[in-house]
Amino acid sequence: MDYLRRKIDKFLDDWLVSKTKKPIIIKGARQVGKTRAIEEFAKRNNLFIVEINFALEPKYIDIFDDGYNVDKIIENVSLKDPSLKFIPGKTLIFFDEIQKCINAATSLKSFKLDARFDVICSGSLMGLSYKEIESVSTGHKIDYTMYSMDFEEFLWALGYKEEQIEKFYDCMKNLTPLSQTQFDVLLEKFHQYMVLGGMPEIVKLFVEQKNYSGTLALQKQIILDYEEDITKYAVGLDKTKILNVFRKIPVFLSQDNKKFRISKVAHGARNREYTGVADWLIEAGIVNVSYCLNDLALPLKGNYDPDNYRMYFMDTGLLVASLDEEASKDLRDNKNFNTYKGALYENIIADMLKKSGYDLYFYKSEDSTQEVEFFLRDANNLIPIDVKASDGKIKTVKALIENEKVTDIRYGIKLAEKNIGFENNVYTFPYFLTFMLKRYLSENMHLDNK
């Protein structure tokens, strides 16, 4: 197996034939597959690629010293490597690791106006000063955030075809239960995905070997790489504090509340001492954060408490790898996913929703009598999403639907190890169909009367 198909492939192919083509900046955490996807795009479309990695080849950082005229930039690059080809209309210029060279982002306006060459930039969010890049390239670029592989991409890697996946969606759309074979097979694949996560190198190793051998070691190395990057790129912040927070995420997820509390990170820690730490991890792309809603009403944005949040790993495989070896082995060998107080299911649903393009919100009443793990919306409704690690009742969701004072909630969704169903204004879907929720909500009519 050479290259694992990704959803960015279609985005890039469509971009190549678009009429008003702006340079692209592809952002994302380390090792999610950015560079490989861009190289494969050039190969697939028979483009000459001029690939400049500012981290591995710092000699190119000064190619902008004479200004941003495209001819001058190309002249400077060619002086350093005369073998490179610059053929108008057939050459992709790929600036990689642009966090090492902000001037590359500044040059995008010139490349856009010149229009002879296609330009794609990429950078690790952990080292990407995006506010600075935004200030020098506004209006002259397209942004694309890339994540680790989602469950659909994982199914592609396993060999599943689009027409097979479309049949699963047809069942969802028509509220027809999956066959027992469909359900059992997809659940097995989903459990594999929970253990492995979506880092391409890990998925590729699993698919080639058809077992988990070596995958845990790769996951642990990625975590170590992230920690090393924290110490490298956390400018102006206490790196030890960021590491403390990053390492404590599994501890908070194991608690009933799951709320992230600075006071629990270290003895005597205070919020003011950790200002900016959570934001740094969010901007680095290695965590997902869900905020507590103030009111159960639309709109979602602006209706949350920025100081009350839950923090999740951006890839559930890395959460599994961060547990002790006995727990990780138990998950691989015995598929004992119901332990850890539902944290694994909650983390992977957060991961799947984020990869679908959703921001994350939850709700917990002040007296803790009502709690819902996630909230989405369709055109007119606020939708409570109840995530069940076991097949429990969803009292809060039903109470919110029946509460005449909560006018924006007309139906809810339960995600569990259960087949597709609908009862009392609650849709039940198996966890593994979460990646189809956005399409389902956009394409189907729902309850309008309460």
Side-chain angles (χ1 to χ4, degrees), residues 94 229 279 286 315 383:
F94 173 26
D229 279 353
D279 290 337
I286 59 176
D315 185 276
I383 310 163

Side-chain angles (χ1 to χ4, degrees), residues 328-339:
S328 294
K329 189 174 187 303
D330 183 36
L331 289 168
R332 283 168 166 74
D333 295 345
N334 304 316
K335 299 181 175 64
N336 191 12
F337 294 98
N338 288 328
T339 58

Side-chain angles (χ1 to χ4, degrees), residues 148-149 190-199 202-203 212 215-223 226 250 286 312-324 327-328 331-332 337 343-345 347-349 351 355:
S148 64
M149 298 173 73
F190 185 67
H191 284 161
Q192 292 172 353
Y193 180 65
M194 287 183 73
V195 168
L196 293 164
M199 291 299 191
I202 293 165
V203 173
Y212 293 112
T215 58
L216 179 58
L218 281 177
Q219 289 170 322
K220 287 185 175 295
Q221 185 58 52
I222 290 174
I223 293 173
Y226 282 175
I286 59 176
Y312 303 96
F313 272 81
M314 66 87 176
D315 185 276
T316 303
L318 299 185
L319 170 60
V320 171
S322 72
L323 306 177
D324 58 67
S328 294
L331 289 168
R332 283 168 166 74
F337 294 98
L344 295 177
Y345 287 110
N347 197 100
I348 201 162
I349 297 304
D351 178 23
K355 288 173 179 174

Side-chain angles (χ1 to χ4, degrees), residues 178-190:
L178 298 162
S179 71
Q180 195 60 50
T181 299
Q182 287 176 318
F183 185 90
D184 291 344
V185 170
L186 282 172
L187 184 62
E188 178 191 8
K189 305 308 177 190
F190 185 67

Side-chain angles (χ1 to χ4, degrees), residues 50-63:
V50 175
E51 183 173 349
I52 295 174
N53 185 312
F54 292 111
L56 298 179
E57 302 171 294
K59 68 179 182 179
Y60 286 104
I61 291 176
D62 66 2
I63 61 175

Side-chain angles (χ1 to χ4, degrees), residues 208-258:
E208 290 175 344
Q209 294 184 158
K210 296 181 173 57
N211 60 56
Y212 293 112
S213 178
T215 58
L216 179 58
L218 281 177
Q219 289 170 322
K220 287 185 175 295
Q221 185 58 52
I222 290 174
I223 293 173
L224 290 174
D225 289 343
Y226 282 175
E227 293 187 353
E228 181 181 343
D229 279 353
I230 288 171
T231 63
K232 185 189 302 183
Y233 292 117
V235 179
L237 289 171
D238 189 320
K239 299 169 184 181
T240 303
K241 290 186 171 73
I242 297 177
L243 283 173
N244 284 343
V245 169
F246 180 64
R247 291 168 177 167
K248 284 292 195 304
I249 294 173
V251 175
F252 287 97
L253 289 179
S254 69
Q255 298 174 355
D256 289 323
N257 190 354
K258 296 184 174 63

